[in-house]
Amino acid sequence: MLAYALKRLTALALSLLAASLVIFLVVEVAPGDPASYMLGMNAQPDTVAALRSELGLDLPKWQRYLSWLGGMLSGDFGTSYTYRTPVAQMVADRIIVSLPLALYALALSVLIAFPAGIYAAARRGKPGDAGVIGATQLGIAIPNFWFAMLLVLLFALKLRWFSAGGFPGWDDPLLALKSLTLPAVALALPQAAILARIMRSSLIDILSEDFIRTARAKGLSRRQALWRHGLRNALIPVLTILGLQFSFLLAGAIIIEQVFFLPGLGRLIFQSITQRDLIVVESVVMLLVFAVIAVNFLTDMAYALVDPRLRRAR
């Protein structure tokens, strides 16, 4: 297990290095100059040049890349061009919204999807199965931003059970969780629909395996065989989807954060792109890439724990 973990950690480090280079190059070739944006269209060229020098934008790209990379390795994400505050502090202020929101949405997704997928697999071909399939198709088809607006109209404006947007901070945890409930539901619905379908398909495949038939021949009912032998083996594809979903929920909540006016990482990236605050964009995207790769690493470790054959195969 230790050798397997070291191999995966090496792959993780190489992936992060490659990702840092790609992110830096992509952001650098994007049109627009941060100094010109900050000073406005009427700024004098010598003033723009002085600000570029102050921000370090006149240095060769390779030198700026190495400086940025070295800073991140030491925990220094640089200073925002626009706000002149440490990027690490800006990220810390925003991630206390985005990370709980992603975890909240992931938990809701699992709570909805697992029972639905198991229920549909246990009743394959029956009306209950058809109902779950129809509901998951609807959940996948509905855009989450449109569903978010429906939630606001119904539960915030009509029933007044939740606020329409904003985040009050974590001084009152219950109030904070309440403010994240509608965004989490909007994010969780399509993910739950996908996860339920994967769970159903995986369980149906497992239930047709020889070891399940053997378990049935020994006297177990279909439900007992499913719970005792089917669920664990069906978890491998489900874990894959869960890892991808968490990455999506953490990095892909930009639109939902805009709909609910949440001060999370998604809004920070959006604002930084419009302001040409390159150092913030590079650092936040790199942080999100790190989160995605780290989750994939943990998913691989979970694979190895669920199925020890994978440790020998790789």
Side-chain angles (χ1 to χ4, degrees):
M1 186 67 184
L2 180 60
Y4 176 75
L6 288 175
K7 285 182 182 177
R8 301 307 303 163
L9 280 174
T10 304
L12 183 150
L14 293 176
S15 299
L16 287 176
L17 183 62
S20 69
L21 184 59
V22 171
I23 291 169
F24 182 82
L25 292 176
V26 168
V27 174
E28 288 297 318
V29 300
D33 177 54
S36 299
Y37 180 88
M38 293 170 65
L39 294 173
M41 296 180 61
N42 298 323
Q44 297 298 318
D46 55 342
T47 307
V48 174
L51 183 57
R52 285 180 58 80
S53 178
E54 180 185 348
L55 298 175
L57 296 172
D58 57 341
L59 297 174
K61 284 186 171 49
W62 65 268
Q63 191 172 344
R64 291 172 53 202
Y65 170 70
L66 292 179
S67 175
W68 173 63
L69 187 62
M72 284 196 300
L73 290 175
S74 62
D76 181 8
F77 285 54
T79 302
S80 165
Y81 299 155
T82 304
Y83 300 103
R84 302 301 180 97
T85 56
V87 177
Q89 182 61 50
M90 297 175 69
V91 170
D93 292 341
R94 302 301 184 99
I95 204 167
I96 59 173
V97 178
S98 292
L99 184 58
L101 174 61
L103 291 173
Y104 195 178
L106 189 68
L108 289 177
S109 171
V110 170
L111 288 174
I112 297 170
F114 273 45
I118 295 170
Y119 176 83
R123 290 164 177 76
R124 183 185 183 189
K126 297 180 179 178
D129 182 26
V132 172
I133 292 176
T136 55
Q137 287 177 338
L138 189 63
I140 294 171
I142 295 177
N144 60 4
F145 70 88
W146 184 78
F147 184 58
M149 289 187 284
L150 284 183
L151 291 175
V152 171
L153 289 173
L154 178 60
F155 293 103
L157 301 182
K158 180 72 175 177
L159 300 176
R160 298 185 182 279
W161 291 354
F162 298 92
S163 63
F167 183 71
W170 288 102
D171 294 335
D172 186 344
L174 290 179
L175 185 61
L177 283 176
K178 187 178 178 182
S179 71
L180 293 179
T181 296
L182 292 185
V185 171
L187 283 170
L189 180 70
Q191 307 308 317
I194 295 170
L195 194 61
R197 292 180 74 94
I198 299 293
M199 189 73 187
R200 174 188 175 275
S201 300
S202 180
L203 271 176
I204 288 174
D205 290 341
I206 292 297
L207 289 175
S208 63
E209 295 286 341
D210 290 339
F211 69 92
I212 295 292
R213 281 195 286 270
T214 302
R216 296 288 306 276
K218 289 181 178 178
L220 293 183
S221 68
R222 181 180 175 85
R223 177 172 298 183
Q224 288 173 326
L226 186 153
W227 284 100
R228 293 186 188 180
H229 303 287
L231 276 179
R232 177 173 176 174
N233 291 283
L235 282 180
I236 291 180
V238 176
L239 288 174
T240 303
I241 300 301
L242 273 177
L244 296 174
Q245 283 189 342
F246 178 74
S247 307
F248 170 80
L249 292 170
L250 185 60
I254 296 176
I255 296 177
I256 296 300
E257 289 182 1
Q258 291 290 331
V259 171
F260 289 97
F261 302 102
L262 295 176
L265 288 176
R267 287 196 74 190
L268 178 62
I269 293 178
F270 181 78
Q271 292 167 348
S272 301
I273 291 173
T274 59
Q275 295 167 344
R276 296 293 301 156
D277 203 342
L278 300 184
I279 190 70
V280 176
V281 176
E282 292 168 348
S283 299
V284 175
V285 173
M286 189 64 209
L287 181 67
L288 294 175
V289 169
F290 172 77
V292 171
I293 294 177
V295 168
N296 286 335
F297 169 76
L298 295 176
T299 304
D300 285 344
M301 294 297 104
Y303 284 172
L305 290 175
V306 171
D307 188 352
R309 293 173 300 176
L310 295 175
R311 300 200 293 266
R312 298 188 291 270
R314 299 185 184 184

